[in-house]
């Protein structure tokens, strides 16, 4: 024991009273990343902190803890609230709301009993004990037998069932503490945002591209949203919807930046210069061209779209190819093999569907021909492209691009995290009825 922690043992200040409630965050895939593990866990810690910070008046204490994160909370209500929020953070596999006490069986028994008495109605249970090292003298098999046997003797009408019981009481001996929990939430999985580099995501106010952006967040990318609005030819409704979509993505790590291009006058120019059936392809080429310029400016290494093969006329392989050929960066299409119904179900789960379903005029509904080309020939598209002053347009668009303020920087600051401090546990009081 360090002198620092032995000092704490006798300290009478309430600051040193240990919180009894904790959230244990399990991050499986993150832990598998070998030498990168510390880096990934630290990123996850920051993202979890960022997620929790606006929700509480106090700063939750978060630290890396035996391949997990440990979030200390002052009461069970805030622990449950925090756990529900943390479950949405990419990189989180499971979240448990735990009681934390010292490694003392006289405390563990009554706490375990109280936890089991307050669990949802059940008839069968088991105890699943684990110890991180041998600092605690009793091994996990023996702990299972001791705590399980004691619970069995003290719980009325409950039986032990080792395979698929209704309730499992987890008892984890970690870092000098005992953690007890019965409730575990499934996390969103994936990797912590910031671990996979930056992408520019072409974000309409439609159903698909918010889902595509979310999938990239889930795989750890920092997502820069780029929206083309029909302004000044249309009202700016789509811009407001995109900002609402950005808010909905906030729990999952949020957009890194959001850029808007007023594209209406360029569409008008394209409509004047390009045969009707090729207009949509040329609009989209121009969007990709701008997106690649933004990616270079921001150090992003790929573009992202919400395209799904064959979903609409512009998403045939020929048209995808005719548009794609204008850029050199990889274009990622996370929804390419998804059906509309799957995409809608995911949009509903992440909360963007309701916004995307609002009718609006964006740049895509402007000057849209009645019979767009569905199998565009690349050489023909390139010939048309070569007649247009695209470099001039690009230079203008890059100066007209507007960056939308997302959450203010001060709200993004991270609360205090405790990484190395050894805390000494004070016994918790548990009443046994
Ligand atoms: P979405 O639902 O994402 O709008 P969609 O089914 O309407 O997709 P399209 O309109 O052909 O299909 O758009 C295909 C992709 O092109 C979109 O998923 C998006 O990535 C990009 N895109 C389309 N319109 C815009 C826009 N106004 N601003 C930014 N990107 C756009
Ligand atoms: Mg669309």
């Amino acid at each position: 024991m360090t002198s620092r922690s032995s000092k704490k043992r006798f300290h009478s200040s309430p600051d040193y009273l240990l919180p009894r409630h904790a959230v244990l965050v399990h991050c499986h895939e993150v832990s598998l990343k070998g030498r990168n593990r510390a880096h990934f866990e630290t990123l996850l810690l920051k993202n979890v902190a960022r997620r929790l910070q606006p929700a509480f008046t106090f700063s939750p204490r978060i630290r890396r803890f035996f391949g997990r994160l440990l979030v200390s909370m002052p009461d069970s209500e805030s622990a449950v609230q925090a756990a529900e929020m943390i479950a949405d953070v990419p990189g989180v596999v499971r979240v448990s709301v735990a009681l934390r006490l010292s490694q003392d069986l006289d405390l563990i028994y009554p706490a375990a009993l109280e936890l089991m008495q307050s669990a949802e109605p059940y008839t069968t249970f088991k105890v699943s004990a684990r110890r991180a090292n041998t600092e605690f003298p009793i091994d996990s098999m023996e702990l299972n037998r001791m705590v399980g046997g004691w619970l069995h003797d003290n719980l009325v009408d409950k039986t032990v069932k080792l395979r698929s019981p209704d309730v499992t009481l987890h008892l984890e001996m970690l870092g000098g503490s005992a953690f007890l929990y019965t409730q575990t939430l499934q996390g969103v999985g994936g990797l912590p945002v910031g671990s996979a580099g930056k992408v520019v995501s072409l974000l309409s106010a439609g159903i698909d591209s918010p889902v595509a952006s979310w999938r990239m967040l889930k795989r750890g990318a920092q997502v820069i949203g780029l929206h083309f609005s029909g302004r000044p030819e249309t009202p700016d409704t789509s811009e407001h919807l995109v900002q609402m979509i950005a808010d909905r993505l906030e729990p999952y790590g949020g957009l890194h930046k959001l850029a808007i291009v007023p594209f209406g006058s360029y569409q008008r120019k394209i409509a004047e210069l390009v045969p009707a059936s090729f207009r949509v392809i040329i609009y989209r080429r121009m969007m990709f061209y701008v997106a690649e310029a933004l990616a270079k400016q921001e150090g992003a290494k790929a573009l992202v779209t919400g395209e799904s093969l064959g979903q609409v006329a512009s998403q045939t392989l020929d048209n995808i190819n005719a548009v794609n050929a204008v850029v050199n960066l990889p274009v990622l299409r996370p929804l390419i093999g998804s059906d509309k119904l799957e995409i809608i179900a995911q949009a509903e789960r992440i909360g963007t569907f309701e916004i995307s379903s609002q009718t609006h005029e964006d740049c895509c509904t402007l000057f849209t021909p009645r019979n767009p080309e569905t199998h565009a020939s690349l050489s023909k598209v390139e010939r048309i492209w070569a007649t247009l002053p695209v470099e001039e347009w690009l230079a203008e668009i890059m100066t007209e691009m507007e960056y939308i303020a997302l959450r203010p920087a001060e709200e993004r600051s991270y609360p205090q995290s405790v990484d190395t401090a050894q805390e000494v546990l004070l016994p918790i009081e548990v009443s046994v009825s």
Side-chain angles (χ1 to χ4, degrees):
M1 184 149 304
T2 64
S3 57
R4 189 171 170 193
S5 54
S6 34
K7 232 200 231 159
K8 276 186 183 176
R9 179 190 282 271
F10 303 108
H11 207 291
S12 60
S13 155
D15 287 352
Y16 291 95
L17 278 173
L18 262 184
R20 304 161 182 180
H21 299 274
V23 179
L24 278 177
V25 183
H26 308 258
C27 28
H28 187 64
E29 193 166 359
V30 172
S31 313
L32 291 180
K33 291 279 165 179
R35 280 181 298 141
N36 283 335
R37 177 172 159 168
H39 170 65
F40 277 60
E41 285 177 7
T42 305
L43 259 180
L44 187 65
L45 184 150
K46 288 182 176 175
N47 294 345
V48 165
R50 179 183 156 186
R51 174 78 180 109
L52 294 183
Q53 211 246 343
F56 298 102
T57 48
F58 56 90
S59 283
R61 306 179 83 181
I62 308 173
R63 63 165 156 151
R64 291 174 55 214
F65 193 73
F66 295 88
R68 296 131 209 248
L69 299 182
L70 171 63
V71 185
S72 304
M73 300 301 285
D75 52 61
S76 86
E77 223 168 71
S78 61
V80 170
Q81 191 190 347
E84 284 170 358
M85 296 174 82
I86 293 169
D88 287 340
V89 176
V92 172
V93 171
R94 278 177 292 119
V95 190
S96 309
V97 179
L99 264 184
R100 180 185 182 185
L101 37 161
S102 41
Q103 291 183 344
D104 177 344
L105 282 172
D106 290 343
L107 297 168
I108 291 170
Y109 281 143
L113 184 60
E114 192 174 85
L115 212 55
M116 294 303 279
Q117 281 167 336
S118 63
E120 297 285 300
Y122 67 98
T123 50
T124 58
F125 74 98
K126 75 168 177 183
V127 175
S128 171
R130 230 187 118 250
R131 52 175 191 169
N133 50 41
T134 48
E135 67 183 313
F136 190 71
I138 304 170
D139 73 18
S140 40
M141 295 293 279
E142 187 57 21
L143 270 173
N144 284 342
R145 271 195 292 273
M146 288 167 70
V147 180
W150 193 81
L151 285 175
H152 185 252
D153 292 346
N154 286 275
L155 288 166
V156 185
D157 294 339
K158 310 291 182 206
T159 46
V160 174
K161 187 173 173 227
L162 297 183
R163 264 189 186 203
S164 316
D166 300 330
V167 178
T168 300
L169 175 80
H170 295 269
L171 166 58
E172 301 206 17
M173 298 296 196
L174 294 173
S177 303
F179 293 86
L180 280 172
Y181 59 89
T182 54
Q183 292 181 58
T184 296
L185 292 177
Q186 187 83 20
V188 65
L191 296 167
V193 172
S195 62
K198 271 187 221 162
V199 295
V200 167
S201 181
L202 285 101
L203 191 57
S204 71
I207 294 166
D208 305 325
S209 47
V211 175
S213 302
W214 175 79
R215 289 203 187 172
M216 295 309 297
L217 286 173
K218 193 184 150 191
R219 292 310 302 169
Q222 278 181 307
V223 176
I224 298 169
L226 173 60
H227 176 66
F228 293 84
S229 87
R231 194 158 44 96
E233 303 284 337
T234 65
D236 58 4
T237 320
S238 72
E239 299 175 28
H240 292 292
L241 295 179
V242 166
Q243 286 179 55
M244 286 164 75
I245 286 165
D247 285 345
R248 290 294 159 92
L249 294 177
E250 193 55 38
Y252 309 103
L255 294 182
H256 181 63
K257 286 183 180 174
L258 173 59
I260 289 186
V261 170
F263 197 52
S265 47
Y266 297 93
Q267 279 186 283
R268 176 175 288 284
K269 289 176 199 170
I270 292 170
E272 283 162 10
L273 297 168
V274 172
S277 60
F278 283 88
R279 276 180 206 160
V280 174
I281 287 172
I282 300 295
Y283 300 154
R284 299 179 57 68
R285 263 194 160 231
M286 196 64 215
M287 288 184 191
F288 273 47
Y289 207 46
V290 171
E292 187 172 62
L294 176 63
K296 286 189 180 145
Q297 199 169 292
E298 294 288 343
K301 295 189 182 124
L303 309 183
V304 176
T305 76
E307 286 162 306
S308 155
L309 190 61
Q311 193 193 81
V312 288
S314 62
Q315 296 174 21
T316 62
L317 285 178
D318 287 324
N319 285 15
I320 287 175
N321 192 33
V323 172
N324 204 131
V326 79
V327 292
N328 293 312
L329 281 180
V331 180
L332 309 178
R333 298 177 173 86
L335 309 183
I336 198 70
S338 299
D339 293 343
K340 194 74 187 185
L341 288 178
E342 291 168 42
I343 301 170
I344 289 175
Q346 200 151 60
E348 280 173 337
R349 277 203 299 279
I350 64 175
T352 56
F353 181 71
E354 169 207 339
I355 303 166
S356 300
S357 306
Q358 295 182 34
T359 50
H360 64 280
E361 248 192 314
D362 72 357
C363 69
C364 294
T365 50
L366 263 186
F367 312 115
T368 304
R370 215 171 286 160
N371 296 309
E373 181 58 63
T374 51
H375 295 283
S377 117
L378 177 57
S379 55
K380 191 155 185 198
V381 169
E382 287 190 329
R383 275 201 303 280
I384 297 171
W385 184 256
T387 66
L388 303 171
V390 290
E391 294 308 327
E392 203 179 293
W393 290 348
L394 178 66
E396 277 171 25
I397 287 174
M398 292 313 284
T399 59
E400 290 161 4
M401 188 179 279
E402 298 164 16
Y403 280 98
I404 304 301
L406 297 167
R407 283 206 301 146
E410 63 272 17
E411 278 186 29
R412 289 173 179 249
S413 65
Y414 303 130
Q416 166 201 14
S417 68
V418 186
D419 244 336
T420 50
Q422 285 249 352
E423 294 164 301
V424 174
L425 293 162
L426 298 178
I428 73 161
E429 292 151 19
V430 184
S431 57
V432 185
S433 49

